[in-house]
Amino acid sequence: MSLIRTESVYKSFGELEVLRGITTTVEQGEVVCIIGPSGAGKSTFLRSLNQLEEITSGKIFIDEQLFLHKENGVLVERISASEHKRLLLEMGMVFQSFNLFPHMTVMDNVITAPTRVKKVPRDEAVADAIEILRQVGLEDKHDAYPSKLSGGQMQRVAIARSLAMHPKIMLFDEPTSALDPELVGEVLSVMKKLAESGMTMLVVTHEMGFAREAADRVLFMCDGIIAEESEPNELFSNPKNPRTRQFLNSVL
Amino acid sequence: MAGTTKTKPFFTRRRIVLFSVLLALIVLAVAMIATRPSQDALVGCISEELRESAGAKYSETYLNFGILNVARGRDIRSGSPETYLGAFGQIFDANDGAASAVANISLWMPSLIKGTGITISLTVVSVLVGVVLALFLALGKMSKILPIKWFCSGYIFFFRGTPLLMQLYFVYYGLPLISSALAINNRFMAAFIAFALNSGAYVAELIRAALQSIDKGQYEAAKSLGLSYAQTMGLVIVPQSIRRLIPPVANEFIMVIKDASLVSLIALTDLSRATQTIMNNTFSVLVYVPAIVLYLVITAVFTKIFNKLEQRYSVYQ
Ligand SMILES: Nc1ncnc2c1ncn2[C@@H]1O[C@H](COP(=O)(O)OP(=O)(O)O)[C@@H](O)[C@H]1O
Ligand SMILES: [Mg+2]
């Protein structure tokens, strides 16, 4: 069963065409990594999925339901408002710059959405948050404000904050790119654990080691298209597309 | 604020000093009140001559402030006291330099304090109501609904673009001309309405700047978590803006304290007008000394309050 499916997704910012026909599928339980040079449209693709950007053309299916269909900027079909909201909640997003709420403690960061959006009673939300924070290794930081945490800890709080909504799929947009090198590992190991627990993940990353180890499939994006797509071993050791080869040579 | 604050010992050094000063002042006040001269003594202080010329009215001719007592002959020609009593019952001649200054100032104090009350209460209620109004104006100006956006932008443009003095005149003198139903007879009410409407426009721009200074990622994180627009503003954006808003709002506050002197033009007696009235009656420039001190004290107190507020909202920094 596919959790996300896109058909010919196009996105332009004014004259600039950033996505030029993205067709792909993410199956339940699959970990898919997106690699590619800067400016390829990786972030834009991820942000289009959860409606932080509005696509120009194409179809997006979430959980096998047609979520959005547009042609040349014109809306053809959009799922009903209540379903729209529900399906959006099935996607959690982790940003490169964490985007924690600085005026809230770690605990409040994690429980705000469950209590306010899902109306989970506070004590249940807290109990759940305690468990999630333990999973990301931050059981002793409940009352800390984000400013008192390291980058790696902040990103783990951001992951916990998304997980607290119990999404079916987690989207990661370069979650370790803003971190000092020595802090990258702790975030990647949380992500690996999450992958092993069966979470469906779509990860934009520059960490080729992570992609090789954790991904079921790797997409190479370049100039707004998926230029190559295969299993990590295949893609890293035997790239078919010259652009992929060139990119891998530059980063490995 | 859910932060854990460390419990400090109650008797910090600052508090001990503060309490000692307070205690000394109380002891002094008690001593002054205890040695306060009687009314007869006060009346006796006024010269025979004046007492006779003032006739039956002499009972109005002394003032007693409890701590400092002033006996004042009602000599309408000079308007100044001729004799007065010191804090501990001493009798001074009216021409004694420094002591007479103290006596004069203490005579003026009640009307200056009353003026100060008007200045402070007008400023506080106007800016408070202005801030609430401004929040709606700022959100309205950022709204995607065009009529709301236009109305709020127009409002802000109008009230920032015209002098407060004209707005005040319009509210007090202009509205009744349009319709007698719009007449606002209470001067304070009229001043409050004009000042709050004006403050709303200025603070709206401050709020808009503060809201827009919040990182775009905060909106995106809130959206990706499913928070509605109202929840995003109420739980994420506005609370973070408050701290950034405190310094510019404090500034607006201090501006309004001084702008409040405009109300003298609708014959409302704020601190400035009280000062001017005394000046006109006594020709004594001395009145500016307590007036300036009062202005500085108000400003200092409010600056302190706003600093404290800013600290409270900075716990997460
Ligand atoms: N909001 C935007 N407005 C205009 N151009 C944008 C915007 N966001 C991204 N772009 C442009 O789209 C292209 C792809 O950006 P992005 O998706 O961030 O690439 P990547 O994440 O692969 O580095 C870049 O050229 C970028 O400048
Ligand atoms: Mg990017």
Side-chain angles (χ1 to χ4, degrees), chain B residues 1-308:
Chain B
M1 297 288 114
T4 46
T5 41
K6 255 186 251 152
T7 43
K8 281 191 219 138
F10 184 71
F11 283 106
T12 56
R13 222 169 58 211
R14 264 184 66 177
R15 281 202 176 139
I16 292 175
V17 171
L18 210 75
F19 283 141
S20 316
V21 170
L22 220 62
L23 197 70
L25 283 177
I26 291 170
V27 168
L28 194 66
V30 168
M32 283 175 165
I33 291 165
T35 58
R36 185 171 61 170
S38 66
Q39 297 205 348
D40 286 345
L42 276 166
V43 174
C45 234
I46 299 166
S47 74
E48 202 75 29
E49 200 186 323
L50 249 170
R51 228 183 306 167
E52 274 158 19
S53 73
K57 286 181 188 156
Y58 77 79
S59 61
E60 300 167 23
T61 60
Y62 65 87
L63 293 160
N64 182 339
F65 299 121
I67 292 175
L68 194 89
N69 307 284
V70 180
R72 178 182 169 175
R74 225 169 103 93
D75 186 344
I76 294 158
R77 284 155 305 173
S78 76
S80 55
E82 59 156 19
T83 349
Y84 54 88
L85 295 177
F88 297 100
Q90 317 92 303
I91 296 175
F92 292 105
D93 191 271
N95 299 321
D96 275 4
S100 104
V102 172
N104 269 319
I105 288 173
S106 67
L107 262 178
W108 301 328
M109 258 348 225
S111 69
L112 291 180
I113 298 263
K114 231 170 117 186
T116 305
I118 296 284
T119 296
I120 293 178
S121 49
L122 179 66
T123 305
V124 171
V125 294
S126 303
V127 177
L128 282 184
V129 171
V131 165
V132 176
L133 177 65
L135 181 60
F136 289 103
L137 286 169
L139 292 175
K141 192 171 172 177
M142 290 160 67
S143 166
K144 288 195 186 96
I145 305 166
L146 287 180
I148 294 180
K149 186 188 172 84
W150 290 334
F151 173 81
C152 293
S153 306
Y155 178 100
I156 293 168
F157 178 69
F158 179 83
F159 278 91
R160 276 163 43 102
T162 52
L164 174 56
L165 177 60
M166 276 175 63
Q167 295 159 17
L168 183 64
Y169 272 151
F170 182 76
V171 169
Y172 190 66
Y173 297 115
L175 288 181
L177 299 181
I178 296 172
S179 154
S180 59
L182 292 174
I184 299 158
N185 293 319
N186 184 321
R187 295 173 207 280
F188 185 85
M189 197 48 135
F192 157 65
I193 291 172
F195 275 67
L197 292 178
N198 182 273
S199 235
Y202 275 94
V203 177
E205 287 300 80
L206 302 178
I207 291 180
R208 199 167 63 94
L211 293 179
Q212 286 176 343
S213 75
I214 304 295
D215 183 52
K216 184 166 126 288
Q218 294 286 305
Y219 290 92
E220 294 185 345
K223 191 176 175 199
S224 77
L225 289 167
L227 297 178
S228 67
Y229 176 75
Q231 287 172 328
T232 302
M233 296 315 273
L235 297 169
V236 178
I237 306 299
V238 171
Q240 289 184 62
S241 315
I242 287 177
R243 197 193 60 82
R244 299 188 193 188
L245 258 178
I246 290 170
V249 167
N251 208 37
E252 164 75 4
F253 214 88
I254 287 164
M255 299 299 285
V256 173
I257 287 172
K258 288 172 290 182
D259 284 348
S261 59
L262 289 175
V263 298
S264 62
L265 292 154
I266 60 166
L268 180 62
T269 306
D270 77 316
L271 177 51
S272 275
R273 185 173 150 101
T275 310
Q276 201 53 43
T277 306
I278 292 167
M279 171 72 191
N280 292 343
N281 290 340
T282 63
F283 304 107
S284 169
V285 284
L286 184 64
V287 67
Y288 287 117
V289 175
I292 287 168
V293 170
L294 281 170
Y295 268 118
L296 293 178
V297 168
I298 308 173
T299 309
V301 168
F302 280 112
T303 305
K304 182 87 190 160
I305 292 173
F306 278 109
N307 283 345
K308 279 264 180 250

Side-chain angles (χ1 to χ4, degrees), chain A residues 38-39 41-44 96 173-174 204 206:
Chain A
S38 159
K42 307 182 296 294
S43 299
T44 306
Q96 181 176 341
D173 189 4
E174 299 195 26
V204 174
H206 286 302

